[in-house]
Amino acid sequence: MLPNGALFLLLTCFSGLVYGEVAANFNNCLQFFYRNEPPKGITGSDYRHICQLYHNAYRFATLYDIKYRTPLYSAYKLHSPDGKRPRPDWMIEPQLANSKGDKSMKYIKNPDQNLKESQAVNNDYIRSGFTRGHLAPSSHQATKDDRTATFTLTNIVPQAAISNNQEWNKFEQNLSDRFKNVCKDKLYVVTGIIPYQSGEHKIKDRVFIPEYIWSAYCCNDNNVGKDQGKYFPTYAAVGRNDPNSGDDVVEKSPKNSGYDVREMPLEELEAILKKKLNMNITLFDGHCGAK
């Protein structure tokens, strides 16, 4: 039998509660979720909750998959940026490798093997044929520090260049425009991925490539809705990350690049996630738009 002190240390290492930012839940950063409620119905032992900490402030939240070395989703509140896109060094999350590690994301030029085992590192993306695709995009953040914080590889997935720079980028810009023109309060966004259902689709034989990228949003302003068409108070989208994927989720238009983005009601996205992830996921717990 373990001594009481050793048993306590063992339990705290596995609980994830003691050391803060990589933890068993999002209790430290619930402000990034509508009504302080993270998505429900997600199951699995490989996910880690990250309250993304940069310069002593929480910037957004990420559910990270240590097996796939990509986030399943990032959640944030959309803002209009007050400056240009930064160009920082790509950061990583020390606590994924060691619970006693630095609580804040940081740049590490030469990460050791423990860090490499726990997450993606910058060398995984160099000459991989894929761009570093933000789930919480820099262009949806307010301050320079907020925007810089999105440049952590725990917020990044391998994304095809045309998707990242053209089709999905257009959706992100459209979302920004709707926020500025219609939603006068807070706009909560959850953006995530759908992995391939079969096969080993990876870069550098380490980081899994998503087949689709999805996003859903909820406007906190209850005065928005009936007179603003189908897009409010909540709506969603799925984008192709592979031009060779089938048409069951997003139909490929012959006029486009094969990286089409299809917008849809929130309920339709949740049905797709249920089918593809085999999880009964509710992104806003059924409350968005409720009076």
Side-chain angles (χ1 to χ4, degrees):
M1 180 178 294
L2 287 171
N4 288 341
L7 179 60
F8 173 77
L9 289 174
L10 181 64
L11 290 174
T12 55
C13 285
F14 280 98
S15 70
L17 291 172
V18 174
Y19 304 109
E21 313 333 309
V22 176
N25 52 53
F26 287 120
N27 284 352
N28 287 338
C29 54
L30 291 174
Q31 66 269 28
F32 298 111
F33 300 95
Y34 181 63
R35 292 189 175 181
N36 295 330
E37 294 179 349
K40 291 180 169 57
I42 296 172
T43 57
S45 61
D46 295 320
Y47 298 121
R48 300 293 182 268
H49 301 77
I50 304 175
C51 289
Q52 299 281 11
L53 185 67
Y54 181 71
H55 284 182
N56 297 315
Y58 297 119
R59 308 295 173 172
F60 59 101
T62 298
L63 188 66
Y64 192 77
D65 189 327
I66 59 171
K67 177 182 177 181
Y68 281 21
R69 296 190 177 96
T70 62
L72 180 66
Y73 69 74
S74 286
Y76 60 96
K77 288 188 289 188
L78 193 150
H79 297 274
S80 297
D82 63 6
K84 296 181 179 179
R85 175 185 171 101
R87 297 289 180 184
D89 292 315
W90 290 97
M91 295 176 283
I92 58 178
E93 181 56 65
Q95 284 194 320
L96 284 174
N98 181 354
S99 61
K100 295 182 180 180
D102 197 321
K103 292 182 179 181
S104 179
M105 63 181 74
K106 63 188 301 184
Y107 169 68
I108 299 177
K109 184 177 181 180
N110 296 305
D112 62 27
Q113 191 60 33
N114 285 337
L115 286 166
K116 292 178 181 178
E117 288 299 318
S118 67
Q119 60 200 287
V121 296
N122 196 42
N123 280 342
D124 290 323
Y125 285 88
I126 295 175
R127 292 184 293 277
S128 69
F130 286 83
T131 64
R132 302 168 187 84
H134 288 68
L135 295 190
S138 171
S139 62
H140 286 181
Q141 314 302 319
T143 69
K144 181 180 179 181
D145 277 353
D146 291 334
R147 294 192 298 279
T148 299
T150 66
F151 287 82
T152 168
L153 290 168
T154 55
N155 179 48
I156 298 300
V157 300
Q159 188 172 7
I162 296 177
S163 170
N164 196 5
N165 300 326
Q166 297 182 32
E167 307 301 336
W168 191 254
N169 183 62
K170 291 176 185 176
F171 166 74
E172 291 177 340
Q173 185 57 55
N174 288 341
L175 188 51
S176 291
D177 292 342
R178 289 175 199 164
F179 168 67
K180 288 184 287 187
N181 296 332
V182 179
C183 187
K184 305 304 181 185
D185 192 3
K186 298 181 180 71
L187 192 70
Y188 294 86
V189 185
V190 183
T191 299
I193 62 98
I194 299 174
Y196 287 87
Q197 304 301 292
S198 62
E200 292 287 301
H201 300 263
K202 294 186 282 187
I203 58 173
K204 305 291 180 75
D205 199 34
R206 281 177 34 86
V207 183
F208 281 70
I209 303 163
E211 187 172 15
Y212 301 96
I213 299 172
W214 57 264
S215 187
Y217 63 85
C218 174
C219 180
N220 195 50
D221 186 350
N222 278 344
N223 293 319
V224 170
K226 292 181 180 179
D227 58 343
Q228 298 296 342
K230 63 183 180 180
Y231 296 117
F232 285 94
T234 182
Y235 217 61
V238 179
R240 301 167 63 99
N241 198 37
D242 185 343
N244 297 314
S245 294
D247 289 344
D248 60 321
V249 175
V250 180
E251 186 175 356
K252 181 168 61 176
S253 169
K255 297 180 180 180
N256 292 333
S257 60
Y259 297 96
D260 304 71
V261 176
R262 180 167 71 91
E263 295 195 67
M264 63 191 67
L266 174 65
E267 295 77 12
E268 188 172 348
L269 170 61
E270 290 177 340
I272 291 171
L273 296 180
K274 181 177 181 179
K275 178 180 178 181
K276 293 293 186 179
L277 300 179
N278 197 28
M279 301 179 197
N280 194 20
I281 297 174
T282 54
L283 296 175
F284 303 116
D285 200 29
H287 295 313
C288 188
K291 300 296 184 180

